[in-house]
Amino acid sequence: MSINIHYCGYSQHVQPFFSYYKSGFPAYLFRLQTEGSCEITAKGTRMEVNKGDLLLIQPGEHYELSIREKNENINEPAVLSGDYHLVCEGKWIEDWWRRSVKPTISRIDLDAKLLSLWHHLIVEERRPGEANELSGYLLKALCLSIERMVNETSFPYVVTRMLRFIEEHATTAFKLEDAASHSGLSVSRAAHLFKESVGKTMIEYALEIRLSEAVERMKYTSMTLEQIAEECGFGTYPYFHRMFHRKYGIAPGVYRRER
């Protein structure tokens, strides 16, 4: 699959740590800070990296990692720093890297789906034996997920948090207050900022996700339309029917029979 995974894992540091690559890092490095903080020097710039920050380094780039002793006068957790990291190379990675801008540091937060994917890749890489084909596909999925999250940083950070919250909870009966609270905003401010940035309301965005989920279930499951309406967050079938007809121009039952 033109991918070589040198190392994939998770680290916790409870003692100061320093790492330095004088001649540049030898491969592509992905590092997501999950606990505590550290200092990174890359491309001649020293940066503080905090929880939710993603570091991307390409081969040959200067890289230093410094994890400092905690301040004894401040009540800090025992873990100084924790991170998921991945070191890899190969033609597919090179092509993926070149096709869009890859900032050295991006604030992507700790997305449950991304962490689960990263953990799955770690587990697969621990399996003994020959090269694991599944690891290659997991790595591609991880890269594509990261690319989407990095691209979302064009939105204000609080809008990105709302987007991910809605994507995670669209099929439940969440309230606008929940999405706003998740981003630390009032409902009115959250609604205005979301519409201004995304071009649609939070409800419209959630509705798109619900309809997409409903279509998938109509195609690939034997669930009744009433069950689909409930499972996808519409609550009642009449509301589902109305929203579906508004988007696709036909009733859900007709859509299902034609496909």
Side-chain angles (χ1 to χ4, degrees):
M1 297 187 69
S2 68
I3 295 175
N4 185 13
I5 301 174
H6 295 298
Y7 189 76
C8 184
Y10 178 79
S11 292
Q12 277 190 335
H13 295 274
V14 296
Q15 298 292 333
F17 178 81
F18 180 75
S19 179
Y20 173 49
Y21 289 83
K22 184 176 181 180
S23 301
F25 201 78
Y28 291 94
L29 170 65
F30 302 63
R31 186 183 183 279
L32 177 61
Q33 191 78 23
T34 58
E35 296 179 84
S37 64
C38 67
E39 287 187 349
I40 297 289
T41 300
K43 298 180 180 179
T45 302
R46 193 169 187 83
M47 301 163 280
E48 182 174 349
V49 176
N50 297 299
K51 183 177 179 178
D53 286 342
L54 173 73
L55 171 78
L56 296 175
I57 294 290
Q58 62 181 325
E61 289 187 345
H62 176 85
Y63 172 66
E64 293 181 33
L65 167 65
S66 176
I67 299 173
R68 298 173 296 174
E69 186 80 58
K70 67 180 180 180
N71 189 335
E72 294 182 356
N73 297 321
I74 301 177
N75 185 21
E76 293 182 320
V79 177
L80 300 179
S81 177
D83 65 273
Y84 279 93
H85 47 272
L86 167 68
V87 179
C88 59
E89 60 183 344
K91 181 63 166 56
W92 189 91
I93 295 293
E94 293 173 7
D95 292 342
W96 171 80
W97 190 279
R98 293 193 188 104
R99 75 183 194 181
S100 64
V101 176
K102 302 296 189 296
T104 303
I105 294 288
S106 300
R107 181 71 182 276
I108 67 169
D109 216 347
L110 303 183
D111 180 78
K113 296 186 292 297
L114 181 69
L115 295 180
S116 177
L117 190 58
W118 210 316
H119 178 71
H120 193 174
L121 179 57
I122 292 171
V123 171
E124 287 299 321
E125 279 298 288
R126 289 174 180 165
R127 289 178 176 269
E130 299 180 359
N132 190 333
E133 184 178 8
L134 179 56
S135 289
Y137 288 108
L138 289 170
L139 176 56
K140 287 185 176 182
L142 181 66
C143 289
L144 296 174
S145 298
I146 285 174
E147 186 173 48
R148 174 185 290 179
M149 291 180 178
V150 169
N151 289 339
E152 283 179 353
T153 58
S154 59
F155 294 126
Y157 177 63
V158 290
V159 173
T160 299
R161 284 182 63 84
M162 285 188 282
L163 281 165
R164 294 179 187 153
F165 181 88
I166 294 170
E167 290 163 359
E168 187 73 23
H169 298 87
T171 56
T172 66
F174 80 92
K175 299 178 181 179
L176 295 186
E177 290 87 343
D178 300 330
S181 176
H182 183 70
S183 299
L185 301 174
S186 67
V187 175
S188 59
R189 177 59 179 160
H192 173 76
L193 191 57
F194 191 93
K195 179 66 181 294
E196 182 180 59
S197 301
V198 182
K200 60 190 71 173
T201 68
M202 286 187 274
I203 293 300
E204 288 170 340
Y205 186 61
L207 182 60
E208 287 183 358
I209 296 172
R210 289 170 180 169
L211 287 170
S212 177
E213 291 284 343
V215 167
E216 290 298 304
R217 285 166 172 76
M218 291 163 66
K219 288 180 177 178
Y220 303 114
T221 76
S222 58
M223 296 171 65
T224 67
L225 294 177
E226 289 76 12
Q227 289 173 327
I228 291 173
E230 183 176 354
E231 287 285 326
C232 294
F234 291 95
T236 65
Y237 176 72
Y239 178 61
F240 169 51
H241 183 283
R242 187 165 66 253
M243 294 300 101
F244 192 94
H245 191 278
R246 178 182 297 176
K247 179 174 178 63
Y248 296 103
I250 58 176
V254 176
Y255 181 94
R256 191 178 215 178
R257 286 194 297 273
E258 289 182 351
R259 285 158 178 76

